[in-house]
Amino acid sequence: MSLVFDSNTNKGVPMKAIMYGAGSIGRGFIGALFSSLGYEVVFIDVNDWLVDTMNTEGTYPQIIMKEQKEIHWIKNIRAVNGKDLDAVRDEIADADILATAVGASVLEKVDPENAIDLLICENLMDADVLLRKWLLAALPENYHLIMEQRLGLVETSIGRMVPPPAPEDDQEEHHPLAVRVEAYDFLPVDKSAFKNPIPKYKKIVPYEPFHFYLERKLYIHNMAHVTTAFLGKIYGAGTKI
């Protein structure tokens, strides 16, 4: 478990990760990754049912889609309603790392307020440029330099697929928070964007220059997927995972 020293109690306390968005990527990939690193994971979402269910259950199954399925129960989690701005600010105040997986249309609503690294886990080219623009527009001008110096806007490359549930689901897949994912679970990150030390974990892969990595994924990974989908549509192929 990842711990940080608390000078008031002279004890180590769990480090905290904030995960904006409790959808398929937030739960199925990034939140699960933080949990495996030993962080307490606090999900922020505006879906009332989702927030309440996460707090009631306190865990959820991550189902790895392989020839023989693997079930990982993701623990040490809770959720905060994103509509409660005071609660969100309180959680961010002592967080150790942030990540977003909210979708490009909602990214503008993310507004971290303290010095920290923010992992932008969106399928959006130049997401850091857009988020920086929105943050600068929202902050008073005298805070601009502080933000640039203390907030790391870290682009990531999301290569993990999250398939929808199938009719023949196992019992675990009927859990209200169950999420199915492919086995691939590495997270490439922009090495040059971090303000703090990069978490040392084999599945977090720092890379520089990062824009080259994103373009490679776009033309090889994404293009291969869409080409396969178009060919399947043309030839009337079905889908099976």
Side-chain angles (χ1 to χ4, degrees), residues 60-64 68-73 170 172-173:
Y60 63 88
Q62 179 199 51
I63 301 159
I64 312 297
Q68 294 293 326
K69 290 182 183 178
E70 294 180 7
I71 310 294
H72 299 165
W73 286 89
D170 293 334
E172 290 84 357
E173 298 194 47

Side-chain angles (χ1 to χ4, degrees), residues 20-58:
Y20 276 97
S24 55
I25 294 298
R27 294 201 317 278
F29 189 6
I30 311 304
L33 178 66
F34 284 148
S35 177
S36 69
L37 277 165
Y39 287 93
E40 177 193 21
V41 184
V42 181
F43 290 88
I44 296 177
D45 205 285
V46 295
N47 184 312
D48 297 334
W49 173 86
L50 192 54
V51 170
D52 292 343
T53 304
M54 294 192 82
N55 287 327
T56 299
E57 298 289 334

Side-chain angles (χ1 to χ4, degrees), residues 27-29 31-33 35-36 58-66 68-77 160 172-173 175 177-185 201 203:
R27 294 201 317 278
F29 189 6
L33 178 66
S35 177
S36 69
T59 184
Y60 63 88
Q62 179 199 51
I63 301 159
I64 312 297
M65 302 305 297
K66 303 165 66 174
Q68 294 293 326
K69 290 182 183 178
E70 294 180 7
I71 310 294
H72 299 165
W73 286 89
I74 309 305
K75 300 179 180 180
N76 201 23
I77 65 161
R160 184 175 225 176
E172 290 84 357
E173 298 194 47
H175 188 283
L177 299 174
V179 59
R180 305 195 320 162
V181 295
E182 68 165 332
Y184 176 87
D185 60 351
Y201 188 51
K203 294 181 180 180

Side-chain angles (χ1 to χ4, degrees), residues 23-240:
S24 55
I25 294 298
R27 294 201 317 278
F29 189 6
I30 311 304
L33 178 66
F34 284 148
S35 177
S36 69
L37 277 165
Y39 287 93
E40 177 193 21
V41 184
V42 181
F43 290 88
I44 296 177
D45 205 285
V46 295
N47 184 312
D48 297 334
W49 173 86
L50 192 54
V51 170
D52 292 343
T53 304
M54 294 192 82
N55 287 327
T56 299
E57 298 289 334
T59 184
Y60 63 88
Q62 179 199 51
I63 301 159
I64 312 297
M65 302 305 297
K66 303 165 66 174
E67 187 172 348
Q68 294 293 326
K69 290 182 183 178
E70 294 180 7
I71 310 294
H72 299 165
W73 286 89
I74 309 305
K75 300 179 180 180
N76 201 23
I77 65 161
R78 55 188 176 89
V80 170
N81 198 308
K83 292 176 283 190
D84 186 346
L85 297 183
D86 289 336
V88 171
R89 292 189 183 104
D90 289 344
E91 295 293 349
I92 293 173
D94 62 350
D96 298 286
I97 196 166
L98 305 176
T100 75
V102 295
S105 62
V106 185
L107 188 58
E108 187 175 2
K109 306 298 183 183
V110 176
D111 183 15
E113 296 186 354
N114 60 321
I116 202 165
D117 289 312
L118 172 59
L119 276 60
I120 311 170
C121 305
E122 312 290 345
N123 281 314
L124 178 67
M125 293 291 289
D126 298 320
D128 59 328
V129 176
L130 287 171
L131 188 52
R132 178 175 285 103
K133 181 185 73 173
W134 291 326
L135 288 170
L136 290 174
L139 288 170
E141 189 172 346
N142 57 316
Y143 282 92
H144 287 190
L145 181 59
I146 295 174
M147 191 202 85
E148 295 288 2
Q149 292 175 335
R150 302 180 64 197
L151 177 62
L153 297 178
V154 183
E155 280 196 287
T156 69
S157 178
I158 304 299
R160 184 175 225 176
M161 293 186 293
V162 184
E168 65 277 9
D169 289 345
D170 293 334
Q171 181 177 352
E172 290 84 357
E173 298 194 47
H174 292 289
H175 188 283
L177 299 174
V179 59
R180 305 195 320 162
V181 295
E182 68 165 332
Y184 176 87
D185 60 351
F186 288 89
L187 182 67
V189 296
D190 184 355
K191 180 179 180 180
S192 65
F194 280 85
K195 301 297 184 182
N196 299 309
I198 301 172
K200 293 182 178 180
Y201 188 51
K202 64 181 181 180
K203 294 181 180 180
I204 295 178
V205 185
Y207 196 91
E208 185 181 8
F210 198 69
H211 209 270
F212 168 80
Y213 197 103
L214 290 177
E215 290 178 346
R216 185 180 72 172
K217 173 183 178 288
L218 180 65
Y219 288 110
I220 298 177
H221 181 88
N222 295 84
M223 186 170 67
H225 283 179
V226 73
T227 301
T228 302
F230 286 145
L231 290 173
K233 178 68 174 179
I234 292 170
Y235 290 101
T239 60
K240 184 176 181 180

